[in-house]
Amino acid sequence: MGIQKVVRGGFKAEREFGFALESRFKDLDLSKVDTEGAAVVVVIADPRHLNLHQLSRVLVGAASGGVKTAVIDIPQKGLRKAVPIFNLFAMVDENARLKELQKLERAIRAGG
């Protein structure tokens, strides 16, 4: 098993060897990701309290360390997917921006 890193913000991230993903996640489709190097496994324990900014920082750190693959695991919903880490970062970044815009919209509506 990989090096575990517990992060506040509704998720846990850990590094895993890419070649170990197949044995760890038997039903996971790995055909569209690079399993040659390291991967990051993100287990989202509480999707409602997911801190997108913290997750974004973890993904940037992993990518700068050479990680090319991310596995997202949401056990509560039975969801698991392997994606290139850049794609996941782009989705997290976009959702963080949308969340900020929603807060701004609520503030404008409340003030006006």
Side-chain angles (χ1 to χ4, degrees), residues 21 25 27-33 39-44 69-75 78-85 87-88 91:
L21 292 175
F25 304 109
D27 59 340
L28 188 61
D29 178 17
L30 299 169
S31 62
K32 296 181 182 173
V33 294
V40 65
V41 177
V42 178
V43 180
I44 300 175
T69 300
V71 175
I72 300 298
D73 188 13
I74 309 174
L79 299 172
R80 185 177 295 142
K81 180 109 174 135
V83 294
I85 197 165
N87 292 7
L88 178 59
M91 287 185 283

Side-chain angles (χ1 to χ4, degrees), residues 54-67:
Q54 284 183 340
L55 179 55
S56 177
R57 284 195 298 258
V58 167
L59 294 174
V60 167
S64 66
V67 174

Side-chain angles (χ1 to χ4, degrees), residues 5-17:
K5 181 178 183 182
V6 177
V7 179
R8 293 181 195 196
F11 71 96
K12 173 179 69 170
E14 58 188 359
R15 287 190 122 168
E16 182 68 83
F17 293 112

